[in-house]
Amino acid sequence: MAKTYYVTTPIYYVNDAPHIGHSYTTIAADVLARYHRAAGLDVRFLTGTDEHGVKIVKAAGEKGVSPQQLADEVVVHFQDLWDDLNISYDDFIRTSQARHEKRVQTLITQLVDRDEIYLGEYEGWYDEGQEEFVTESVARENDYKSPVNDEPLTRYGEPSYFFRLSKWIPWLIEHIEANPTFVQPVARRNEVLSKCRQGVDDLSISRLLEKLGGWGIPMPNDPAHSVYVWIDALSNYITALGMPPIGDEHDGAFEGHWPADVHLVGKDILWFHTVYWPCILKSLDIPLPKGVFAHGWWTAEGRKMSKSLGNFVSAEQIRQICSEYSRDVYRYVLLRTMAFGADGDFSRNGLKGLYNTELANGVGNLLSRTVKMIGKYFDGAVPGAGQADADAAGVIAAAEDLVSSAGPAMAACAFHTYLDKVMAVVDATNRFIDATEPFKLAKDPSQRQRLEMILYTCGEAVRIVLVYLEPFMPETTVRGLDQLGWQRQGRTLDEVGRWGVLPAGAGVNKGEGLFPRSV
Ligand code: MSP
C-alpha cells in the first residue's frame, strides 16, 4: 500500500470574502499535495469553511439573512476561487454539515465521559473577530481592543463548560521540546513554548446557545450551551476523516490517513493549533498531528490589509492577475516572494519583477532557446547525451542538487529553498549556453559531437526544471514539457525526477512562449 500524506488548510470563516491571505495557505497546501502525489504517495488534501461563531451570526444579522444562508452564499465564493486557482483538494468540509456536527458531539461526549470537562463560570474579555478569550492582562495591554483588528473587546459573563487544559501543559511542553518539527518555524516554536511556560488556564469551551441565536453545535450533555467555535473548528481535521465513527459513509478514512503530516496555518492562529488542539487530542488518546507550520502575513503595496483601509487583495483582483498573467504565475509569485514563515509584501511591481526575471527571461527563455536550437541543428530530435564535459558538469551538479534537496525542502515547507534550487538550474543552464555558444559551434562540423552534448544537457536541464516546477505551475509546465516532446505518463518523481531520463530522439516542437514577455 502506498504511503499516505495528509495536509490541511485552516477552515475559513464565512463572514468575509476570500482574499490573498486565504489563497496563500491554500496554494501552499496544493503545492504540497501535488508534490507528494507526484512522489507516488496516497495524498489527502482537506480544506473547508468555519461556519459557526458569533462573528458569523453578526455578519448574517447585518445582511438580514440567516447564518445558514450567509454560509451557503459565501462558501461558494471560496469554492469558486479554489477552482479558479486550480486547487486540487480531495475534501471540502463545512462545519454546518451533519457529518461534522454529529462527530463533534460524539467527541464532546467522550470528553465528558473522561471527566475532561467541568461546568464553571466564564467572566472576562472576548475578541469576537478572532473568536478568542483574552486574559485581563492582555486586554489591558491593548487598551481593551483586539490586538489583531483593533475592535473593542466584548465583556462576557456566563456559565460555561471548561476543558481541563492546564493539566496537559507540562506534557505539551515536553512534547514540543522532544519534537523539534512539531511547531514550525523555530521562532514560532519558541514563542509557543515561552507562553506555555508562563502558565495556561483551563479553556472555556462553550457559549450559551441563545446568545448565538441558536447557531452552533449544542453540547450533547447540556443543549442550552453550544460548543466553542474553535473546538468545533479544530475537530474538522479528524471529523473529515470519519472520526469518531458514527455509522455513515465517512467512517473509516481515519486509520489510513491520521496523523496529519502537516496543518498549515497563519501565524495568528498558531496557538489554537499547537496548544488547544494537541491537548484535546491527547485527552482523547488520539495521536497528534506530525507538525503545524505557521506562515507569515501579507501586506499590500506596503500597507497592512484591513477592512477600514479596504485594501485587501481581493478575489476579484486575484482573478484579474490570473487573466493578465496566468493562474500559474500567481501561484508561483505567492510562494516565491518570501520565505514561507516570514511576512511579505504583495505589490504589482514585485509581481512584474519576478515574472520578468525568473519566468520570462529565466525559465521561458531557456526552454525556447533550447527547443529552437534542437529544431534548427538536429531537425527537432533531441540528440544523444554524449560525454558531459566540465562546462556541462556545472549544470548537472545544479540539477543533482535540486533532486536531492527537493524532498527535504518540501518536508520543511521550505518552498523558497526549493524554488531557489530550481532557479539555480535555470541560471546555470542559461550561463552554460552563453559560455559554450552552441550557435557558433553549429557552423563547425568538427564540433558536432560537442554540440550534441550541449543541447542534450540543455534539454535535460529544462525538463528537470519543469518536472520540479509542476506542483507550483501545473498547467504551464505540462505545456513546456510538451514542447520538449516529453511526458511524465504517470511515472513517479523517483523515476523521472533525476538526471538522464530524457531519451535521445524525443521530438521537440516549438510552441507559444510559456511566459509571453508583453507585460
Ligand atoms: N476559522 C479560523 C480557522 C479555523 S482552523 C481550524 C480562521 N479563519 S480566517 O478565515 O479568519 O483565517 C484563515 C487564515 O487566513 C488564517 O490562517 C490567517 O492567518 C490567514 N490570513 C488572514 N489574513 C492574512 C494575511 N494578510 N496574510 C496571510 N494570511 C492571512 O482563522
Side-chain angles (χ1 to χ4, degrees):
M1 224 173 69
K3 240 183 108 210
T4 60
Y5 182 83
Y6 181 32
V7 56
T8 66
T9 72
I11 48 173
Y12 304 110
Y13 286 129
V14 288
N15 63 319
D16 234 345
H19 59 67
I20 184 174
H22 308 119
S23 77
Y24 186 43
T25 334
T26 306
I27 291 171
D30 190 58
V31 167
L32 289 175
R34 287 177 185 271
Y35 175 86
H36 288 96
R37 282 190 205 112
L41 272 61
D42 173 7
V43 169
R44 191 147 175 138
F45 166 17
L46 175 70
T47 189
T49 41
D50 191 353
E51 305 191 349
H52 295 126
V54 66
K55 63 197 271 179
I56 313 295
V57 174
K58 283 198 162 172
E62 278 160 22
K63 283 191 129 193
V65 297
S66 71
Q68 186 70 64
Q69 280 170 325
L70 178 69
D72 291 346
E73 192 185 302
V74 176
V75 69
V76 179
H77 299 159
F78 280 95
Q79 289 170 335
D80 284 351
L81 185 61
W82 302 158
D83 286 348
D84 289 347
L85 292 174
N86 206 3
I87 304 299
S88 61
Y89 57 82
D90 299 295
D91 191 6
F92 191 103
I93 190 159
R94 301 180 56 184
T95 54
S96 64
Q97 286 167 337
R99 63 161 165 162
H100 175 75
E101 295 190 347
K102 287 186 191 159
R103 287 187 170 84
V104 169
Q105 289 193 314
T106 309
L107 288 170
I108 299 288
T109 302
Q110 291 174 1
L111 288 171
V112 171
D113 291 348
R114 288 167 179 250
D115 191 31
E116 294 290 347
I117 285 178
Y118 63 91
L119 184 62
E121 178 84 19
Y122 182 77
E123 173 68 46
W125 299 101
Y126 195 73
D127 179 342
E128 293 188 337
Q130 290 296 101
E131 300 279 9
E132 184 173 10
F133 300 98
V134 179
T135 60
E136 181 61 37
S137 59
V138 171
R140 197 175 330 110
E141 261 167 44
N142 290 293
D143 211 11
Y144 301 94
K145 288 190 183 145
S146 162
V148 179
N149 65 10
D150 263 356
E151 295 288 323
L153 299 175
T154 310
R155 188 80 191 166
Y156 278 6
E158 61 187 41
S160 169
Y161 285 90
F162 284 81
F163 168 64
R164 298 187 195 282
L165 177 63
S166 58
K167 77 167 191 203
W168 294 109
I169 298 297
W171 159 82
L172 179 67
I173 291 173
E174 257 178 48
H175 181 81
I176 297 176
E177 281 171 344
N179 296 277
T181 56
F182 180 63
V183 186
Q184 292 189 79
V186 65
R188 302 271 166 227
R189 174 173 178 260
N190 294 338
E191 274 171 29
V192 170
L193 273 175
S194 87
K195 218 172 138 190
C196 280
R197 289 194 186 109
Q198 287 164 26
V200 177
D201 294 335
D202 285 348
L203 176 67
S204 166
I205 59 150
S206 72
R207 298 271 342 266
L208 285 175
L209 197 51
E210 65 175 26
K211 293 205 175 162
L212 295 162
W215 184 242
I217 303 179
M219 295 281 284
N221 55 326
D222 187 348
H225 293 253
S226 76
V227 179
Y228 170 41
V229 63
W230 268 100
I231 304 300
D232 169 353
L234 289 162
S235 311
N236 93 89
Y237 301 129
I238 59 172
T239 63
L241 295 178
M243 180 70 179
I246 56 167
D248 67 8
E249 72 277 20
H250 301 283
D251 284 2
F254 182 81
E255 281 66 31
H257 289 91
W258 190 260
D261 288 82
V262 62
H263 293 315
L264 294 185
V265 300
K267 62 181 180 180
D268 54 319
I269 58 173
L270 185 65
W271 181 252
F272 304 96
H273 283 83
T274 54
V275 179
Y276 300 171
W277 183 226
C279 291
I280 286 172
L281 289 169
K282 175 73 182 167
S283 73
L284 290 167
D285 273 332
I286 298 176
L288 305 196
K290 291 180 200 157
V292 179
F293 196 106
H295 64 68
W297 269 42
W298 288 95
T299 52
E301 307 286 346
R303 305 180 76 181
K304 188 176 170 185
M305 287 187 285
S306 74
K307 263 199 177 154
S308 47
L309 289 174
N311 63 340
F312 279 102
V313 179
S314 63
E316 199 186 349
Q317 280 167 277
I318 294 170
R319 287 196 177 91
Q320 210 240 318
I321 292 164
C322 292
S323 71
E324 195 179 323
Y325 294 83
S326 71
R327 57 190 184 179
D328 279 359
V329 169
Y330 178 73
R331 292 166 59 104
Y332 180 85
V333 168
L334 279 206
L335 292 178
R336 183 63 178 149
T337 300
M338 73 273 198
F340 202 61
D343 294 334
D345 184 53
F346 187 84
S347 71
R348 284 303 212 132
N349 268 340
L351 165 69
K352 197 166 165 180
L354 274 179
Y355 179 83
N356 284 329
T357 50
E358 298 196 343
L359 298 179
N361 298 332
V363 181
N365 188 33
L366 174 61
L367 174 70
S368 79
R369 292 168 101 181
T370 302
V371 167
K372 203 190 270 168
M373 288 192 284
I374 294 175
K376 198 157 159 198
Y377 310 139
F378 295 98
D379 277 338
V382 172
Q387 190 62 44
D389 67 1
D391 288 318
V395 174
I396 299 174
E400 282 174 348
D401 186 30
L402 165 62
V403 171
S404 62
S405 316
M410 282 294 180
C413 297
F415 305 110
H416 50 290
T417 310
Y418 182 107
L419 291 173
D420 277 348
K421 303 281 180 186
V422 172
M423 287 316 299
V425 181
V426 174
D427 290 345
T429 316
N430 272 327
R431 277 200 314 272
F432 173 63
I433 297 177
D434 295 343
T436 56
E437 302 187 306
F439 27 87
K440 285 193 184 154
L441 301 180
K443 295 183 187 134
D444 179 353
S446 74
Q447 295 292 324
R448 188 75 186 162
Q449 270 195 339
R450 182 162 159 74
L451 185 65
E452 285 184 10
M453 182 278 294
I454 292 171
L455 286 179
Y456 181 85
T457 304
C458 295
E460 180 56 345
V462 74
R463 186 192 68 83
I464 294 231
V465 163
L466 293 172
V467 163
Y468 280 89
L469 277 179
E470 189 266 346
F472 297 82
M473 300 202 279
E475 294 171 317
T476 313
T477 49
V478 167
R479 283 199 288 124
L481 289 167
D482 212 45
Q483 294 186 22
L484 268 184
W486 186 86
Q487 282 163 348
R488 174 201 287 274
Q489 290 167 333
R491 286 171 287 175
T492 64
L493 202 53
D494 256 3
E495 295 167 294
V496 302
R498 55 189 166 77
W499 189 265
V501 170
L502 184 65
V508 304
N509 41 79
K510 228 176 133 241
E512 294 258 302
L514 292 189
F515 307 101
R517 225 172 312 172
S518 58
V519 288

